[in-house]
Amino acid sequence: MYLVRLIYTSEVCEGFGPSDIEDIIEKAQKNNHASNVTGLLCFNSSYFLQCLEGSRQAVNATYHKILNDNRHRNIIMLNYCEIYEREFENWSMGYIPYSKITTPLNLKYSGTSEFDPLAMSGGSAHKLMMALRDTLVNQ
Ligand SMILES: Cc1cc2nc3c(=O)[nH]c(=O)nc-3n(C[C@H](O)[C@H](O)[C@H](O)COP(=O)(O)O)c2cc1C
């Protein structure tokens, strides 16, 4: 079963609150653990940025569920590729709160100091997520 990585961004819908993010993380960790999907979810009050990795079939099935979720909209795939190995193997779904996504990181990977995944190439979004993963490792 081939390993793939998928990165997408989306806009947070109005009315989205703390209980919604808790529900998403709980479901993601439970379902992803069961289907051997790993990855990272970044979030601020405007955007989600998520990386999913796993078998092509499992990532595809997870992405289809996510596409149908009405808690976000304008879902745009930034990166999809076959990979040789996982980069988030320790996280069924690691969660990065906005406080970790700092101005220097945004400036390093995009043309703006704000967290705006639509202003990032797929490659930059991937590199930002790797940098954020390292903040989880070192915390
Ligand atoms: C931004 C965002 C990210 C999500 N990430 C995942 C995920 O990684 N895995 C997952 O199973 N569900 C994820 N969900 C939730 C799914 O859309 C869906 O609600 C959930 O998979 C349904 O789970 P259930 O079939 O067990 O009820 C996410 C939803 C949103 C809005």
Side-chain angles (χ1 to χ4, degrees):
M1 290 220 269
Y2 293 119
L3 272 179
V4 300
R5 175 179 67 234
L6 188 158
I7 300 176
Y8 74 85
T9 184
S10 61
E11 285 176 36
V12 177
C13 280
E14 270 169 41
F16 189 87
S19 64
D20 290 310
I21 193 72
E22 277 169 26
D23 178 71
I24 288 171
I25 292 163
E26 193 184 309
K27 286 252 168 66
Q29 290 179 340
K30 181 170 150 276
N31 292 343
N32 296 355
H33 180 71
S35 58
N36 294 318
V37 168
T38 48
L40 207 61
L41 177 65
C42 311
F43 159 75
N44 75 352
S45 52
S46 304
Y47 297 107
F48 292 107
L49 176 66
Q50 189 175 27
C51 176
L52 301 166
E53 57 184 19
S55 75
R56 185 163 58 196
Q57 200 182 16
V59 167
N60 199 42
T62 304
Y63 187 55
H64 276 262
K65 280 205 285 189
I66 293 171
L67 284 175
N68 286 320
D69 196 310
N70 59 15
R71 289 171 289 194
H72 62 165
R73 63 177 177 221
N74 195 18
I75 303 162
I76 296 178
M77 195 190 293
L78 299 179
N79 177 265
Y80 179 88
C81 59
E82 290 179 359
I83 53 175
Y84 294 122
E85 61 187 17
R86 294 175 194 253
E87 289 160 334
F88 304 98
E89 68 272 21
N90 294 326
W91 296 277
S92 55
M93 189 46 60
Y95 172 56
I96 303 283
Y98 184 49
S99 57
K100 296 254 182 207
I101 312 173
T102 58
T103 297
L105 272 180
N106 289 324
L107 277 176
K108 184 162 183 182
Y109 297 107
S110 75
T112 162
S113 58
E114 302 297 316
F115 177 58
D116 180 0
L118 291 173
M120 279 176 220
S121 67
S124 293
H126 175 226
K127 282 192 172 274
L128 171 65
M129 299 194 101
M130 298 279 285
L132 290 168
R133 174 197 69 175
D134 294 342
T135 69
L136 284 184
V137 171
N138 297 322
Q139 77 185 356

